[in-house]
């Protein structure tokens, strides 16, 4: 069933487990996510970045938003598990409005690169507009290192828990993404993975609302190996280990953003298939292994997050 993201995350918050928020850019990834959720009887959040809207709409973000709502609703309405659709890292008003108008379950207003007062002001406006349309809202405090929407942050700026308390009270935002040391992409840590659990615990204590972990992919080594055996070069890739991910869920993370792990699995399957099947040119064949590997990493992640059976 197609639901508001708040329905999924309020339950996860109450019962203390994590739910995967899986990024998609096309139909094939939606297949993998829905199949994994059905098989594991797990809720799923499907999310699209602004780049995904442009990509699927072939340049028109309004068309992209409408297309994703139609595709996701079609699958959501044909299965029992709760499925929500979220706009990830909405930073331009046009994209946020396009998704609200199209019928998204939730939108993220990412004003984390603006000063706090501005972030509060913008988020307040989006919350008012979105709530009027029964759409829930995610916001971000602090900054991930790396590139986000062509904004390069040299290093992460960790969340200030007292700012988080004020931010949530003043904006009435539904979910908050506190920066605690992760970053987007496949190269998250130079040395050992280290997240600021104390800060996370404080933010949860002070806000009590569902929290979001961005940059949460683990960079599954099984998939890295298959991809590298078939021509990929992912040297130095490192993600958030599963045991650390479990700890973030224990300390209050409920929405776990996962894009890189899906991309790695997909390219591993695609490379392996193409190298082993030089005569094949049917997309229904050459995308099949890619989908299977992506579905597998999603199901494994549902086990790690403890969202299995939580429908
Ligand atoms: O937090 C994450 C993913 O983190 P991950 O890289 O660890 O999977 N996200 O919000 C996904 C961001 C994807 O944006 P784009 O489509 O512009 O590349
Ligand atoms: Zn993110």
């Amino acid at each position: 069933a197609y639901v508001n993201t708040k329905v999924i995350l309020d339950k996860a918050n109450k019962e203390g487990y994590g739910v995967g928020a899986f990024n998609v850019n096309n139909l094939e990834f939606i297949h993998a996510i829905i199949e994994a959720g059905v098989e594991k009887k797990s809720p799923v959040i499907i999310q699209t970045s602004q780049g995904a809207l442009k990509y699927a709409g072939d340049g028109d973000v309004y068309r992209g938003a409408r297309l994703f709502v139609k595709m996701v609703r079609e699958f959501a309405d044909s299965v029992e598990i709760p499925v929500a659709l979220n706009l990830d890292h909405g930073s331009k008003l046009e994209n946020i409005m396009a998704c609200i108008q199209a019928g998204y379950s939730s939108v993220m207003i990412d004003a984390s690169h603006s000063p706090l007062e501005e972030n509060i002001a913008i988020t307040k406006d989006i919350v008012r507009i979105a709530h009027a349309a029964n759409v829930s809202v995610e916001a971000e405090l602090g900054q991930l290192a790396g590139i986000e929407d062509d904004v390069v942050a040299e290093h992460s700026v960790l969340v200030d828990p007292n700012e988080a308390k004020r931010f949530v009270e003043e904006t009435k935002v539904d979910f908050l993404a506190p920066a605690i040391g992760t970053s987007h992409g496949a190269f998250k840590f130079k040395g050992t993975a280290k997240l600021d659990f104390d800060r996370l615990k404080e933010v949860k204590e002070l806000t009590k609302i569902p929290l979001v972990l961005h940059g949460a992919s683990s960079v599954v080594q099984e998939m890295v190996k298959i991809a590298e055996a078939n021509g990929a070069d992912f040297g130095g890739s490192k993600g958030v280990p599963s045991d650390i991910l479990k700890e973030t869920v224990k300390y209050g993370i409920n929405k776990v953003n996962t894009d890189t792990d899906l991309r790695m699995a997909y390219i591993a399957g695609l490379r392996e298939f193409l190298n082993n099947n030089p005569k094949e040119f049917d997309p229904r064949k050459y995308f099949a292994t890619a989908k299977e590997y992506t579905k597998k990493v999603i199901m494994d992640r549902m086990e790690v997050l403890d969202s299995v059976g939580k429908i």
Side-chain angles (χ1 to χ4, degrees):
Y2 188 64
V3 300
N4 188 314
T5 312
K6 195 167 162 41
V7 167
I8 292 176
L9 292 181
D10 280 353
K11 184 173 181 292
N13 189 24
K14 197 158 131 261
E15 299 173 21
Y17 57 86
V19 177
F22 302 106
N23 287 74
V24 301
N25 291 280
N26 62 22
L27 172 64
E28 285 72 17
F29 282 66
I30 295 175
H31 289 161
I33 295 162
I34 295 286
E35 286 181 32
V38 167
E39 222 159 294
K40 288 291 180 183
K41 294 191 174 11
S42 164
V44 295
I45 298 167
I46 293 176
Q47 55 183 21
T48 61
S49 66
Q50 296 180 141
L53 296 180
K54 213 169 160 112
Y55 175 78
D58 204 14
D60 177 341
V61 296
Y62 291 88
R63 186 165 57 194
R66 291 193 298 269
L67 178 63
F68 279 123
V69 169
K70 288 184 177 99
M71 283 198 285
V72 171
R73 284 210 68 131
E74 186 52 47
F75 284 95
D77 291 342
S78 64
V79 297
E80 232 179 85
I81 59 165
V83 178
L85 176 59
N86 176 58
L87 168 66
D88 189 26
H89 289 291
S91 58
K92 297 184 187 72
L93 189 61
E94 174 163 53
N95 295 298
I96 293 172
M97 293 317 292
C99 292
I100 291 173
Q101 284 164 356
Y104 270 57
S105 311
S106 57
V107 291
M108 177 185 185
I109 163 64
D110 180 357
S112 57
H113 297 284
S114 307
L116 179 68
E117 298 307 326
E118 230 179 281
N119 191 350
I120 289 176
I122 297 168
T123 303
K124 253 166 134 171
D125 283 348
I126 298 300
V127 167
R128 202 172 35 251
I129 294 165
H131 283 185
N134 189 26
V135 172
S136 39
V137 182
E138 174 187 335
E140 183 175 339
L141 270 184
Q143 288 175 26
L144 305 186
I147 300 176
E148 215 177 279
D149 256 352
D150 49 57
V151 180
V152 184
E154 280 315 300
H155 49 82
S156 55
V157 177
L158 300 181
V159 64
D160 171 339
N162 294 311
E163 280 186 11
K165 177 173 169 28
R166 181 185 155 210
F167 185 89
V168 168
E169 281 166 0
E170 293 199 18
T171 64
K172 302 280 178 281
V173 73
D174 300 293
F175 330 118
L176 182 69
I180 56 170
T182 57
S183 61
H184 288 139
F187 306 90
K188 298 182 194 297
F189 304 98
K190 297 251 178 315
T192 48
K194 201 176 157 343
L195 300 184
D196 194 326
F197 293 134
D198 292 339
R199 233 173 258 265
L200 170 57
K201 284 182 212 167
E202 266 193 79
V203 170
K204 192 68 175 187
E205 193 45 49
L206 292 170
T207 64
K208 305 273 189 240
I209 66 169
L211 299 181
V212 186
L213 188 65
H214 282 248
S217 279
S218 298
V219 183
V220 178
Q221 284 309 306
E222 176 198 1
M223 294 302 167
V224 172
K225 285 194 179 60
I226 295 171
E228 292 190 322
N230 289 280
D233 173 10
F234 294 147
S237 59
K238 186 169 177 58
V240 180
S242 299
D243 54 328
I244 292 193
L245 205 53
K246 279 179 184 288
E247 290 220 35
T248 66
V249 172
K250 195 169 95 190
Y251 301 138
I253 290 291
N254 304 109
K255 175 175 178 277
V256 180
N257 283 17
T258 311
D259 189 11
T260 295
D261 281 340
L262 277 56
R263 294 179 176 190
M264 289 288 203
Y266 204 85
I267 196 64
L270 187 57
R271 281 182 170 278
E272 184 186 71
F273 183 95
L274 293 179
N275 282 342
N276 298 338
N277 300 273
K279 295 190 186 317
E280 189 53 70
F281 56 90
D282 177 347
R284 293 164 301 190
K285 297 244 178 46
Y286 61 69
F287 285 147
T289 315
K291 185 198 77 176
E292 284 311 314
Y293 286 6
T294 304
K295 178 178 165 181
K296 181 182 178 314
V297 299
I298 293 168
M299 291 197 291
D300 293 347
R301 179 145 279 226
M302 290 168 169
E303 296 286 354
V304 169
L305 300 181
D306 189 25
S307 69
V308 173
K310 299 286 198 310
I311 58 170

